Amino acid sequence: MTDFMGPPWQADWTEEAASNRAALPEEARVLVDAARAELVTAQDPYFRGIDADRDLPAAMSVEPVQSTRPSGEHVLYLDYGRGWLRYHFTPRTTDPQIVIDECFWQ
């Protein structure tokens, strides 16, 4: 049996999310990059359990898109909810990966 790899995780952006990130003003890109850094270094990218996201900076929080699918897509809110990254985690044994599907900031 192969041990499951841990952080830092591989992270990729969909084409749409990458172009949305590139279109943001510099101050928002800095916030998005900080949020991505939190994702790739998280022990558990699903942030499961009560207060599992307590180690995130005060301006960030995470929740599943659907409460009935705790291992599905999640949203990482940043800048006190002014923006978010919607992502999913693929926990493959040899190459676990986070895919950022949506990047938004207002």
Side-chain angles (χ1 to χ4, degrees):
M1 182 173 168
T2 305
D3 291 331
F4 186 69
M5 296 174 64
W9 308 109
Q10 167 82 17
D12 289 319
W13 300 76
T14 62
E15 190 173 309
E16 182 179 356
S19 64
N20 288 346
R21 182 202 167 277
L24 295 174
E26 180 62 27
E27 67 183 56
R29 276 196 308 271
V30 168
L31 294 170
V32 167
D33 291 345
R36 180 197 172 278
E38 292 292 337
L39 274 179
V40 299
T41 59
Q43 194 63 35
D44 178 3
Y46 290 129
F47 292 90
R48 288 175 280 225
I50 297 171
D51 294 333
D53 61 355
R54 71 176 179 261
D55 293 333
L56 288 174
M60 293 182 197
S61 64
V62 175
E63 66 183 34
V65 171
Q66 293 179 316
S67 62
T68 57
R69 296 192 60 200
S71 294
E73 287 190 326
H74 277 59
V75 177
L76 170 62
Y77 295 101
L78 54 121
D79 197 19
Y80 297 99
R82 288 187 66 194
W84 62 79
L85 298 177
R86 185 173 44 86
Y87 69 94
H88 65 275
F89 178 63
T90 306
R92 297 181 292 238
T93 303
T94 57
D95 186 24
Q97 179 181 29
I98 294 171
V99 177
I100 300 170
D101 300 305
E102 182 178 20
C103 175
F104 178 83
W105 187 79
Q106 56 185 353

